Amino acid sequence: LTEAGRKVVTFDHRGHGESQKFYDPDKYSAPMMADDAGRLLNHLGIETTDVIGYSMGARVAAFMLINHPSRVRRAVLAGLAARMIQGVPGSAAIAEALEAEDLSSVTDLAGRAFRIFAMRTGGDLKALAACIKSSRVKIKEEALANVKSPVMVVAGDKDELAGDIQPLVDAIPGAIGLTLP
């Protein structure tokens, strides 16, 4: 992106990386995190921008499109498609895995994978558990029907966590989809 002359801004969402950690699920709603992104744009003096979000970041980007439409010129929602509007199964098992005393007691495969990833990246397990308990609310299709910015939805063809791209593409006027093998 920088080679194409773009200014690239990345940040740690609350509860992730070096950002502030909260242990209350109410502090991790995706609309709240979209507001955080808007405050960052204000701080940087950026009026409107292109947004790329992956997984939870795609949900946050979707709420930027809904709640801060004038800030988003166009968006890529990746790694989370139909599940954004249909719901993501297994979040309780993932939260339990993150909160478990130790990895050896985690038997759920998805929970175990999330726990291992969080441990390898130095994540705060308690903060990540609080985040996953909150951030997976369904997005109403009626809200997406009002999106005016160009949107591309991207997901892998075998990504069960993301779901199929078509229901999300259909929910956003003019959106296009890309399924990766």
Side-chain angles (χ1 to χ4, degrees):
L1 293 171
T2 56
E3 287 176 12
R6 308 290 242 146
K7 178 179 182 178
V8 176
V9 176
T10 64
F11 64 98
D12 291 331
H13 287 285
R14 54 177 65 199
H16 293 73
E18 295 182 28
S19 285
Q20 187 172 5
K21 310 301 186 283
F22 301 103
Y23 303 114
D24 176 357
D26 291 339
K27 300 285 185 186
Y28 289 101
S29 75
M32 198 178 289
M33 289 196 222
D35 292 346
D36 291 345
R39 283 189 288 278
L40 177 61
L41 292 175
N42 290 342
H43 174 75
L44 297 173
I46 300 171
E47 287 298 315
T48 186
T49 190
D50 298 333
V51 176
I52 300 172
Y54 180 79
S55 191
M56 180 189 74
R59 184 181 304 281
V60 172
F63 277 105
M64 287 184 72
L65 286 160
I66 294 165
N67 295 341
H68 305 282
S70 66
R71 304 306 295 266
V72 183
R73 184 176 21 245
R74 49 189 168 239
V76 176
L77 308 178
L80 193 57
R83 300 288 191 197
M84 201 175 315
I85 54 179
Q86 297 169 349
V88 180
S91 59
I94 294 168
E96 285 178 25
L98 292 168
E99 293 173 324
E101 287 296 318
D102 59 69
L103 180 62
S104 65
S105 66
V106 178
T107 57
D108 180 80
L109 293 179
R112 189 172 178 79
F114 270 79
R115 169 76 179 244
I116 290 169
F117 179 76
M119 290 169 51
R120 286 186 181 157
T121 58
D124 182 317
L125 300 179
K126 189 175 175 185
L128 294 174
C131 180
I132 203 158
K133 288 177 182 179
S134 174
S135 67
R136 292 179 176 237
V137 296
K138 295 177 191 176
I139 296 178
K140 293 183 175 15
E141 291 183 58
E142 307 83 66
L144 293 169
N146 295 318
V147 170
K148 305 282 188 256
S149 302
V151 174
M152 175 184 274
V153 178
V154 182
D157 64 352
K158 293 182 175 84
D159 188 342
E160 293 179 20
L161 189 63
D164 182 49
I165 63 167
Q166 202 56 51
L168 187 58
V169 168
D170 292 344
I172 302 171
I176 60 172
L178 174 64
T179 301
L180 301 173

